[in-house]
Amino acid sequence: DGRHAKGCYSLGVLYDNGKGVKQDYQKANALYKQACDGVDADGCNNLGVAYYNGKGVKQDYQKANDYYKMACDGGEASGCYNLGVAYESGKGVRQNKSTAKRWFGKACDIGF
């Protein structure tokens, strides 16, 4: 409630995994959204994963990719990697191997 983005992300992970609390994907996603809005790149990436897999939200590859891009832009290597996977497979975007390679390269440069 204090707008500490990393705290929202961490609490979201607990609800996502059901560790110490009852598993609740919708609550996890709300916390990830709050974290992402607070400029926490991990929260953006996890929200992207939720949309990609349809966990607690309607599956939406385009929305997943939007969150992956926010995560990548925020320095979260997993977001860059996930965008690479999207372009490699053509999920939510037009399949493009060279664009996939660029996103994979950025993930690598960040440390993934």
Side-chain angles (χ1 to χ4, degrees), residues 24-39:
D24 185 335
Y25 294 133
Q26 290 177 337
K27 190 171 268 191
N29 294 338
L31 289 160
Y32 291 150
K33 174 85 168 86
Q34 197 171 348
C36 185
D37 290 346
V39 195

Side-chain angles (χ1 to χ4, degrees), residues 52-53 61 65 68 77-97 99-105 107 112:
Y52 185 88
N53 293 317
Y61 294 129
N65 294 335
Y68 291 152
S78 295
C80 305
Y81 173 81
N82 289 334
L83 267 177
V85 170
Y87 278 96
E88 183 178 48
S89 64
K91 291 196 174 176
V93 291
R94 184 183 302 255
Q95 187 177 34
N96 185 319
K97 303 282 183 169
T99 301
K101 182 179 175 185
R102 184 169 46 93
W103 288 115
F104 289 142
F112 190 87

Side-chain angles (χ1 to χ4, degrees), residues 1-13 28 30-44:
D1 293 333
R3 308 238 186 263
H4 187 273
K6 189 53 83 178
C8 295
Y9 163 76
S10 297
L11 188 55
V13 169
L31 289 160
Y32 291 150
K33 174 85 168 86
Q34 197 171 348
C36 185
D37 290 346
V39 195
D40 180 84
D42 291 320
C44 298

Side-chain angles (χ1 to χ4, degrees), residues 14-76:
L14 293 178
Y15 279 104
D16 200 0
N17 297 324
K19 301 286 184 183
V21 295
K22 183 177 185 239
Q23 190 172 44
D24 185 335
Y25 294 133
Q26 290 177 337
K27 190 171 268 191
N29 294 338
L31 289 160
Y32 291 150
K33 174 85 168 86
Q34 197 171 348
C36 185
D37 290 346
V39 195
D40 180 84
D42 291 320
C44 298
N45 184 66
N46 281 22
L47 196 51
V49 170
Y51 276 102
Y52 185 88
N53 293 317
K55 281 177 37 177
V57 291
K58 184 179 180 200
Q59 188 175 47
D60 185 332
Y61 294 129
Q62 288 181 328
K63 203 173 260 193
N65 294 335
D66 290 342
Y67 282 111
Y68 291 152
K69 176 136 181 13
M70 283 187 253
C72 184
D73 290 346
E76 173 52 45

